[in-house]
């Protein structure tokens, strides 16, 4: 009979460890030297970070089953943030600065920074701050936010090819981490990281390959994350060793399937999340507290 | 392990007699290496050499089939660890667990479900293919009755789960022509099981308490001439399952380790009493290499996300899913019907056309060739911008089809509005809903020609 030897694969490099937040509740993500859940052949010092998202503006058109847990707090981002931490056990939050969206209310960068500061002061968990997804506006908004929240080690997102320089400089000056976003392309991800690392500390960069929902492009995100992780770990490419973030709550809850039924919606989001963790995501931004709880039970 | 032509050549008769239909042994060897010829075509191969070659050229993970007819499940023959390296070839089976201890009504309910579950996505049917029938009652007659019922009232492929080997095989005999998977075949029962497996021609669900234990069973079964096996190395939770299934696939693919060259089976149904956790575990175990997941939920809201995940992960990354570029007439539109535009990403076409049909308002759906990219990816890469759409309008004579001048565009494509106003003078550009499935409501509330 042939003898079985477990075909273990030891990897000699690590994904970088990134710290988000400050003080006792600061969270570390990344740091592993193996694939997700591969405790049998490597070390994964930090469980995936799980953030709940809140908006600075009352949400429109949210499906009833995802609005319901927050119904009493959506008009006030501070209350909303506190509920997520105190009631839903969120260890990290993502504040989305919808108020500044040029396609919407188009509030000023100063106002957005002010709201951010108020929320950041009200909770002690780490904070991701998400801009408007509009390159030029985000250059203003996120630099203002960086300044207003100096020293809080926020995670500022998203930085793209067209605006990374200004935002990253402000982040560096005021001690924040950043999210480098390049959509669905390993080469573009690498290019952006190389450009950033010319002046920005690599351990403060998180990669956003852009995520999509189950049934609506999930397979693209799944494969691009696996590919980036292979470049980082198996091929030891230093510019691909940053932790990976996935933001998909909004896309999930927009789907017909999630809106149709509460349990189906929670599973839609939770399965999307765990699939990305399996691919190698280190940080998820979630919308429904039940999806957060479920993923936490399974992976932490 | 794939063999190279030169390696095969060494083992051929080297007489160049041409009887195989090739000019030389070498040409035949090259053809064999790429899968274009069969060993049988050379009449002069020494039987021992032939067996050796066969073994060496077999795919590293055996293709195993369970069930018959439309419900045949084929699993195995995977070639890569990661989807992006090539593709995953065979969708895993999702089995619904039915215990013979369950109430009659519960059993009826589940059997009915397997017959009626039917989801469509992008023109493909998503369905459950298997029933896992489990002996828990301690009553042989009850188990047999369950097997008979499942056999008679459904066409599903069957898995028989029973620790009592006699009961297991007597049940297998009732449905052998359905080609069930019998489980568990272990170190303890295999001597009894081997002749019965051979006689009935059914697949073996091999169980051990570890990968090592599985290897000792599969080696003996193989020596006894049994080919169809599915492996359970006894993992008890998601984490152990990811570990074992990863190591099994790696051993087969990267080490050419034959005793583990079979698909695996996972039982989230026995691992997590909480049905949400069970579903997440099923999702994870399926994504990380299970050939079959056995699952206790016959609830559509729990099943749909799993089916869609399977569909996504097992789609082929080498081929984007597209449909033909064209101005589709959906439901007999006339000159007052709405005009909508979308991409030729198959998902977009199916979502939007289904929504239009659902709303019962006939419409023209312009499907622009974006090489399979969805709305925003196509917009960014210039395949779905003002210019491209204006060209489409000209090419397909959209303006001649309707009297009005209103074009409904996807709600996510706000950035398109200004471009289109410039490229399509005289047309009013209307931003539709963000989500395709909200189109019926949008049309019924807002459409006026
Ligand atoms: C998966 C994906 C890809 C896949 C493409 C998959 C595909 N077949 O389209 C790949 C990997 C190929 C890809 C590539 C790129 N991508 Co991309 N990608 C995504 C991602 C993650 C999901 C998109 C998706 O598939 N959505 C699901 C489909 C079904 O959505 P949809 O087409 O919009 O359709 C829905 C609705 O719009 C509506 N609908 C559709 N048609 C119609 C019609 C009407 C009339 C109405 C009312 C509604 C309607 O129904 C659908 C369901 O609701 C998004 C980020 C995100 N979360 O959105 C980025 C995203 C679209 N990509 C982006 C970019 C920049 C790119 C690239 C240019 C980057 C690059 N590498 O150069 C390339 C371009 C392509 C190229 N040159 O190869 C950007 C676009 C930025 C922007 N301008 O907004 C996005 C938004 C990411 C980001 N935030 O930066 N991408
Ligand atoms: S039949 Fe066999 S021996 Fe004859 S040429 Fe073909 S491979 Fe060579």
């Amino acid at each position: 009979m042939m003898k079985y030897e477990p075909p273990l694969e030891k990897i000699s490099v690590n994904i970088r460890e990134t710290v988000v937040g400050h003080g006792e509740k600061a969270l570390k993500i990344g740091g592993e030297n193996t694939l997700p859940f591969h405790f049998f052949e490597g070390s994964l010092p930090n469980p995936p970070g799980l953030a709940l998202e809140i908006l600075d503006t009352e949400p429109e058109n949210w499906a009833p089953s995802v609005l319901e847990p927050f119904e009493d707090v959506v008009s006030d981002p501070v209350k909303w943030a506190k509920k997520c931490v105190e009631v839903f056990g969120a260890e990290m939050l993502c504040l989305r600065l919808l108020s500044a969206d040029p396609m919407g209310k188009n509030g000023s960068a100063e106002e957005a920074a002010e709201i951010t500061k108020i929320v950041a002061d009200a909770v002690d968990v780490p904070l991701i701050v998400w801009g408007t997804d509009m390159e030029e506006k985000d250059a203003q908004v996120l630099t203002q936010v960086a300044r207003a929240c100096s020293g809080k080690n926020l995670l500022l997102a998203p930085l793209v090819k067209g605006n990374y320089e200004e935002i990253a400089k402000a982040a560096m000056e005021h001690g924040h981490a950043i999210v480098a976003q390049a959509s669905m392309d390993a080469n573009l991800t690498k290019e952006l990281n190389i450009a950033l690392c010319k002046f920005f500390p690599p351990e403060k960069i998180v990669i956003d390959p852009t995520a999509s929902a189950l049934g609506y492009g999930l397979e693209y995100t799944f494969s691009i994350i696996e590919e980036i992780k292979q470049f980082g770990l198996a091929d030891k490419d230093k510019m691909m060793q940053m932790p990976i973030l996935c933001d998909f709550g909004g896309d999930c809850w927009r789907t017909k399937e999630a809106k149709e039924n509460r349990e189906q919606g929670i599973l839609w989001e939770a399965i999307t999340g765990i699939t990305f963790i399996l691919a190698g995501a280190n940080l998820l931004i979630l919308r429904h507290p039940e999806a957060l709880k479920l993923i936490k039970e399974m992976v932490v | 392990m794939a063999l190279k032509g030169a390696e095969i050549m060494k083992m051929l008769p080297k007489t160049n007699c041409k009887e195989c239909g090739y000019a030389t042994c070498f040409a035949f060897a090259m053809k064999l290496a790429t899968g274009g010829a069969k060993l049988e075509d050379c009449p002069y191969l020494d039987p021992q050499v032939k067996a050796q070659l066969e073994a060496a050229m077999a795919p590293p993970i055996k293709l195993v089939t369970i069930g018959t007819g439309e419900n045949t499940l084929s699993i195995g023959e995977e070639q890569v660890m990661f989807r992006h390296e090539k593709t995953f070839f065979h969708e895993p089976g999702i089995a619904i667990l039915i215990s013979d201890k369950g109430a009659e009504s519960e059993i009826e309910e589940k059997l009915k479900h397997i017959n009626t579950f039917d989801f469509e996505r992008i023109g493909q049917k998503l369905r459950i293919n298997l029933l896992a029938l489990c002996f828990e009652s301690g009553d042989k007659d009850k188990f047999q009755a369950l097997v008979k019922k499942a056999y008679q009232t459904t066409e599903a492929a069957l898995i028989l789960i029973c620790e009592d080997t006699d009961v297991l095989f007597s049940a297998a005999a009732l449905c052998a022509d359905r080609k069930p998977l019998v489980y568990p075949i272990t170190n303890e029962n295999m001597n009894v099981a081997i002749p019965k497996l051979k006689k009935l021609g059914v697949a073996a669900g091999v169980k051990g308490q570890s990968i090592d234990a599985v290897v000792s069973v599969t080696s003996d079964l193989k020596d006894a001439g049994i080919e169809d096996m599915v492996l359970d190395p006894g993992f008890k939770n998601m984490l152990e399952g990811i570990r074992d299934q990863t190591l099994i696939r790696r051993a087969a693919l990267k080490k050419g380790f034959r005793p583990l060259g079979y698909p695996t089976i996972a039982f989230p149904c026995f691992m997590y009493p909480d049905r949400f956790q069970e579903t997440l575990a099923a999702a994870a175990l399926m994504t990380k290499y299970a050939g079959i997941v056995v699952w206790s939920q016959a609830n559509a809201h729990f099943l749909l996300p799993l089916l869609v995940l399977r569909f996504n992960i097992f789609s082929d990354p080498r081929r984007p899913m597209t449909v033909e570029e064209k101005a589709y007439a959906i439901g007999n539109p006339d000159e007052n019907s709405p005009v909508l535009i979308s991409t030729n990403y198959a998902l977009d076409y199916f979502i939007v056309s289904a929504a239009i049909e659902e709303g019962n308002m006939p419409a023209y759906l312009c499907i622009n060739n974006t090489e399979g990219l969805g709305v925003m990816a196509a917009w960014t890469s210039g395949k779905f911008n003002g210019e491209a759409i204006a060209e489409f309008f000209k090419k397909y004579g959209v303006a001649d089809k309707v009297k009005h001048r209103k074009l409904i565009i996807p709600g996510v494509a706000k950035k398109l509005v200004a471009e289109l106003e410039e490229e399509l003078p005289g047309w009013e550009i209307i931003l539709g809903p963000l989500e395709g499935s909200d189109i019926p409501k949008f049309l019924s509330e807002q459409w006026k020609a």
Side-chain angles (χ1 to χ4, degrees), chain A residues 9 41 223 226 264 297, chain B residues 83 250 254 277 288 301:
Chain A
E9 291 178 1
E41 57 184 351
S223 284
E226 287 206 323
Q264 189 166 291
E297 287 165 358
Chain B
R83 180 179 173 272
R250 242 189 226 161
K254 297 193 165 180
Q277 293 185 356
K288 284 298 162 187
H301 298 307

Side-chain angles (χ1 to χ4, degrees), chain A residues 67-107:
Chain A
L67 188 60
E68 184 263 330
F70 312 112
E71 212 138 32
D72 51 337
V73 293
V74 280
S75 56
D76 179 348
V78 169
K79 283 194 191 144
W80 190 346
K82 286 195 159 154
K83 185 167 188 186
C84 286
V85 176
E86 288 158 14
V87 180
F88 301 131
E91 290 167 7
M92 194 183 300
L93 295 176
C94 173
L95 172 65
R96 229 176 263 282
L97 298 173
L98 225 63
S99 65
D101 185 356
M103 301 281 199
K105 269 174 52 187
N106 202 15

Side-chain angles (χ1 to χ4, degrees), chain B residues 9-31:
Chain B
M9 172 66 190
K10 286 189 202 138
M11 299 167 84
L12 297 180
K14 304 192 193 69
T15 55
N16 299 333
C17 74
K18 299 191 177 44
E19 273 180 53
C20 55
Y22 295 88
T24 60
C25 291
F26 185 72
F28 181 62
M30 297 310 281
K31 207 68 192 173

